[in-house]
Amino acid sequence: MLTLVYYALMLLVGYFFYRYGQRLLNQGLRGENDEFTKPPVGPIGFLLVAGLGCYLLFEALRAVVLREIPCVGKGCTGQVYTLAEHSGQYWANLFFVVWMVLALGYTMYVTIKIWTRG
């Protein structure tokens, strides 16, 4: 039951994240107060998001190839979940990492679309 709540909350957060990005993209060049629409991240934040996204993408691809992923949480530091022994925890951690890659990629997409408006 806890796993179902975890995945449902992840989907709900993703939906609200998507709606926020769509609202920014649909605002146009200027917002409600006649100010320029601000992207979710600035130039330095964009570089940090890109770097973190590339690292997490590398870790996700590495986890798929090696069939093992290190634990993402604080309580299990240093523990490695393998697909053969801990398949539930392996897929949960891999899902979280891929979800973060998608969220960071969408943040970069929205930022670039706002920056390149004419």
Side-chain angles (χ1 to χ4, degrees):
M1 182 66 183
L2 187 62
T3 306
L4 178 68
V5 171
Y6 171 72
Y7 288 120
L9 285 176
M10 289 296 287
L11 290 174
L12 190 64
V13 167
Y15 173 74
F16 285 120
F17 196 73
Y18 171 76
R19 292 299 305 154
Y20 174 72
Q22 287 300 307
R23 187 175 55 85
L24 284 178
L25 290 176
N26 292 333
Q27 253 183 359
L29 189 57
R30 294 184 178 268
E32 299 158 354
N33 300 336
D34 203 33
E35 297 177 357
F36 285 112
T37 302
K38 295 187 190 282
V41 292
I44 302 298
F46 184 83
L47 292 175
L48 290 173
V49 165
L52 181 63
C54 288
Y55 171 74
L56 289 175
L57 180 63
F58 171 76
E59 286 296 322
L61 292 174
R62 181 176 176 255
V64 169
V65 170
L66 297 178
R67 291 180 169 75
E68 64 182 28
I69 189 167
C71 182
V72 180
K74 285 184 182 179
C76 53
T77 307
Q79 189 172 358
V80 176
Y81 295 129
T82 61
L83 184 58
E85 293 180 27
H86 306 82
S87 62
Q89 290 91 351
Y90 170 82
W91 287 114
N93 281 303
L94 186 61
F95 174 74
F96 179 75
V97 170
V98 169
W99 198 251
M100 290 302 297
V101 168
L102 290 174
L104 294 174
Y106 186 68
T107 302
M108 293 188 321
Y109 168 76
V110 170
T111 302
I112 288 174
K113 288 294 266 188
I114 291 174
W115 283 345
T116 58
R117 286 185 181 164

